[in-house]
Amino acid sequence: MAYIPPYYRITEEDEKIQHMIDHPFATVISTSHKDKEAPYATQLPLMLDKSVDGNPHRLHFHIAQGNLQWKSLGHCEENDIEVLVVFEGAHTYISPEWYQSKEVPTWNYTSVRAYGKVRMITDDGENLQMLHRLVRTSEVSKTERLGGNVWDLASLDEAHVQEQMRHIKFFTIDVRRIDGKKKMSQNRSVEDQNGVIENLAKGSGSDAAVAEIMKESLKTQK
């Protein structure tokens, strides 16, 4: 379970779901299928199907057959052991130089953790459909960001795709609960938060992203 002070907890389900959609490259963590062995963790792209008609949210992914975590996932399925998926968002270092008050350094970040029951999917038709969806979603996102054309998995020879599929294992996670944490200096004064925002806004990438999240967070505090 994650440690989340009340003022950092993401309480809105829609916000947690959107975070998972916006940050699909996440870390799947499962207990080992061997005694006294460390848990397995693999970074993977995941597809989210939102809850419909009372069914749970579902996360779909595939993993290389050479990665022994697939056996760990099978062990979790057989023994009803929950797996954990960590979706990391924007994060960056926060310097005390930016505060009006005297304080120690820290790190601001957003993160969502999904817990659930994993199932191996062995239906080739279902798995091929999931690959098409994953590629299509990724291609559309790429084109929106960078331009170019939307590449289609169907442009490959079907026999070649089927051959590649023989070397991967497919899984679905029925999500049982989701925790979300947005640590954006909410415990600091408005003056301190504005100081952090002003300095992070000078940067790019994660620095700028955290600055924007902090601006939005500050609006809800007023």
Side-chain angles (χ1 to χ4, degrees):
M1 297 293 289
Y3 167 65
I4 309 177
Y7 41 86
Y8 294 148
R9 182 176 294 278
I10 301 174
T11 57
E12 295 296 326
E13 183 79 358
D14 288 347
E15 184 176 355
K16 290 183 281 190
I17 293 299
Q18 191 59 50
H19 179 103
M20 295 162 69
I21 293 171
D22 292 341
H23 305 281
F25 192 68
T27 304
V28 177
I29 302 169
S30 56
T31 58
S32 174
H33 58 293
K34 297 180 180 179
D35 290 340
K36 299 181 180 179
E37 191 173 84
Y40 285 86
T42 302
Q43 291 172 292
L44 300 161
L46 294 97
M47 282 282 298
L48 172 67
D49 281 336
K50 296 181 183 179
S51 173
V52 177
D53 297 331
N55 293 316
H57 301 302
R58 290 195 169 106
L59 291 165
H60 310 281
F61 65 96
H62 60 275
I63 192 167
Q65 186 170 288
N67 183 341
L68 291 183
Q69 187 173 6
W70 78 265
K71 293 187 177 181
S72 160
L73 294 164
H75 170 76
C76 290
E77 178 180 11
E78 292 171 5
N79 294 277
D80 196 24
I81 300 172
E82 286 190 336
V83 298
L84 165 65
V85 186
V86 181
F87 297 82
E88 296 292 357
H91 61 90
T92 194
Y93 172 75
I94 306 300
S95 171
E97 183 183 11
W98 304 331
Y99 293 149
Q100 295 292 321
S101 58
K102 293 185 180 297
E103 256 303 342
V104 296
T106 191
W107 205 274
N108 279 3
Y109 61 92
T110 60
S111 179
V112 166
R113 301 183 180 198
Y115 306 81
K117 178 174 175 55
V118 67
R119 294 181 287 117
M120 183 183 292
I121 308 300
T122 57
D123 183 277
D124 288 343
E126 185 176 348
N127 291 334
L128 181 59
Q129 183 182 39
M130 185 52 57
L131 280 181
H132 276 281
R133 287 185 57 202
L134 176 61
V135 171
R136 177 72 182 180
T137 300
S138 302
E139 282 289 325
V140 169
S141 176
K142 175 268 297 183
T143 302
E144 290 174 348
R145 299 190 322 271
L146 306 173
N149 299 317
V150 176
W151 183 83
D152 193 340
L153 184 62
S155 65
L156 292 179
D157 180 73
E158 184 176 344
H160 177 67
V161 175
Q162 293 288 349
E163 172 61 25
Q164 295 300 311
M165 288 176 62
R166 290 180 53 246
H167 304 289
I168 52 181
K169 300 292 185 179
F170 295 81
F171 292 90
T172 290
I173 297 171
D174 293 335
V175 178
R176 290 174 171 171
R177 64 188 186 283
I178 307 172
D179 289 331
K181 186 173 184 178
K182 182 164 61 177
K183 181 182 178 296
M184 291 289 155
S185 301
Q186 299 97 315
N187 61 328
R188 310 301 312 160
S189 67
V190 172
E191 292 75 20
D192 283 353
Q193 292 183 63
N194 279 324
V196 172
I197 293 169
E198 179 182 351
N199 282 276
L200 289 179
K202 299 173 184 176
S204 59
S206 286
D207 292 330
V210 169
E212 287 301 315
I213 296 171
M214 288 187 67
K215 286 180 186 178
E216 293 303 311
S217 176
L218 194 53
K219 291 178 184 177
T220 65
Q221 298 172 44
K222 294 180 179 179

